[in-house]
Structures are given as structure tokens and as C-alpha cells.
Amino acid sequence: MENTREYFASNRRYYWKNLKNECVNCGSTNELQLHHIVPLIQGGTNRLSNVVVLCSNCHGKIHGVGYKNHSANTKKGIEKARSNGKQIGQAKGA
């Protein structure tokens, strides 16, 4: 359970409390987001050492997308992975 998106989402306060509130890439303090260095789907963990703070601009550059709509993009990515047969988190209703 520890390395699921659900666990990560339910413990966001922990990460924000323990990480510096500025982008580790450019130092910005605007539109900050949490980012897994090694994605969960690739074996990454929710350990504090695998999570960094990025501004939306730097986060978007890493993923190659605009991150203004991060939540919608995340949902689309999960749906796409599931449609390709990858098991991501738990299916709704499971």
C-alpha cells in the first residue's frame, strides 16, 4: 500500500511539511507541485528521498506537457496505462 498513488495523495501534507517550498530546479516559489524522481510505475517509492518540489513550468518540462491541468493529465495517463494492460493503483470499485 505504501507505494500507491492513493498513499501518496493521502500523505501530501507530510511531503509539503518536510520538503523545502521552492522548486529544486529553478528556485521558484510559484505554482509548486510534488514530483516523483523515479515514477511509481517504474518501481519508484513514496519515500521522501524520491519526492521533490517543482514549479509547474519545470514539472511540465520534465514530463513534456503543460502542467496547468496536472490532475486531468494524471487521470488520462492512468487510464491510458490501464488500457494498455498495466495495473495502476486500484480500479474504482475494487
Side-chain angles (χ1 to χ4, degrees):
M1 177 69 177
E2 284 184 9
N3 292 320
T4 64
R5 288 211 163 273
E6 292 83 4
Y7 179 88
F8 179 70
S10 68
N11 288 286
R12 284 186 182 276
R13 285 185 183 171
Y14 168 79
Y15 300 105
W16 287 117
K17 181 180 175 183
N18 289 285
L19 294 168
K20 194 170 182 179
N21 285 325
E22 70 178 35
C23 178
V24 296
N25 188 46
C26 72
S28 174
T29 57
N30 298 318
E31 298 182 32
L32 299 176
Q33 301 170 350
L34 297 171
H35 169 74
H36 285 90
I37 298 166
V38 177
L40 296 177
I41 193 161
Q42 293 178 347
T45 68
N46 282 318
R47 289 186 178 163
L48 195 58
S49 60
N50 190 46
V51 178
V52 295
V53 175
L54 294 171
C55 69
S56 61
N57 187 43
C58 290
H59 202 184
K61 287 177 183 176
I62 286 173
H63 291 287
V65 296
Y67 256 65
K68 296 287 184 186
N69 200 0
H70 180 254
S71 180
N73 287 337
T74 298
K75 287 178 186 175
K76 284 180 187 177
I78 290 170
E79 288 172 13
K80 182 178 179 183
R82 283 185 178 151
S83 71
N84 289 331
K86 296 191 179 187
Q87 186 174 358
I88 311 272
Q90 291 195 1
K92 289 187 177 195

